[in-house]
Amino acid sequence: MALRNILKQGDETLTKRCRPVTEFNDRLHTLLDDMAETMRQADGVGLAAPQVGILRRAVVVLETNTPEGEEYVIELVNPQIIDADGEQEGPEGCLSVPGSYGLVRRPMHVKVRAQDRNGNFFELEGEGLTARAFCHECDHLDGHMFTELCDHILTDEELSAYHSRGEDQ
Ligand code: ZN
């Protein structure tokens, strides 16, 4: 596994729509392994392939709704959000926009249909931060950033008014 360079907002790659993954080969497996390692090293909870310069529909999300220390990485290839309900509003950040957070409204529960690294289809539900990460990462695959969904970037004072500091994705 290897760390990959995370592109920053302003890079044109982050505005492009990604193509579906069609080959579930070693190259994809290496990409997913590298993305997971890069996300963890950057202390993020999600990362999309275009953030490391690959215009393909693949993301990793850290499932944090687990006992402490038992977080695990979810791999979603060609993900589609097929159901969503509830609502949450909170600070959201992005590994491509380091140190900046904005208030973004997202569904509280999301169901995704995706393929695993071998091409098998599955469905998965996410709640809270995981639902937020599913939405955030799927937006990246269509060239969209969280900054398009918030009024403004929070000041330090505004951010500290929230219990959590926000999560980078
Ligand atoms: Zn992001």
Side-chain angles (χ1 to χ4, degrees):
M1 291 201 284
L3 293 177
R4 304 229 181 174
N5 182 44
I6 299 176
L7 302 180
K8 300 300 184 290
Q9 190 172 35
D11 191 302
E12 219 178 74
T13 305
L14 293 172
T15 67
K16 302 235 163 91
R17 189 177 159 81
C18 299
R19 287 166 296 162
V21 171
T22 53
E23 295 195 42
F24 298 82
N25 53 16
D26 286 349
R27 201 180 156 112
L28 174 68
H29 299 173
T30 301
L31 171 66
L32 290 167
D33 289 342
D34 288 355
M35 285 169 60
E37 190 182 4
T38 303
M39 170 183 72
R40 282 184 177 280
Q41 198 269 343
D43 202 22
V45 295
L47 189 68
Q51 291 180 277
V52 295
I54 307 293
L55 288 171
R56 290 286 180 175
R57 305 186 79 82
V59 311
V60 293
V61 168
L62 192 66
E63 175 56 271
T64 55
N65 295 322
T66 60
E68 199 174 343
E70 292 182 22
E71 293 94 356
Y72 58 91
V73 175
I74 298 167
E75 299 173 349
L76 302 173
V77 179
N78 300 325
Q80 281 185 294
I81 292 174
I82 55 171
D83 202 11
D85 65 73
E87 192 177 89
Q88 57 176 320
E89 187 180 55
E92 186 168 313
C94 179
L95 293 174
S96 295
V97 196
S100 295
Y101 301 90
L103 285 189
V104 179
R105 208 180 291 268
R106 299 285 193 186
M108 184 57 85
H109 304 274
V110 163
K111 186 190 271 190
V112 292
R113 178 172 160 79
Q115 283 165 281
D116 67 17
R117 59 167 56 203
N118 297 309
N120 303 304
F121 283 93
F122 65 99
E123 292 182 4
L124 187 66
E125 293 184 30
E127 190 181 341
L129 178 59
T130 306
R132 177 179 291 284
F134 285 168
C135 296
H136 179 113
E137 303 315 328
C138 287
D139 283 351
H140 273 301
L141 301 181
D142 291 325
H144 295 301
M145 306 279 290
F146 84 93
T147 47
E148 298 165 41
L149 299 174
C150 62
D151 286 347
H152 65 285
I153 295 300
L154 297 174
T155 64
D156 288 345
E157 290 74 22
E158 287 172 323
L159 186 58
S160 64
Y162 287 88
H163 294 302
S164 70
R165 67 170 174 81
E167 299 282 346
D168 295 303
Q169 298 162 59

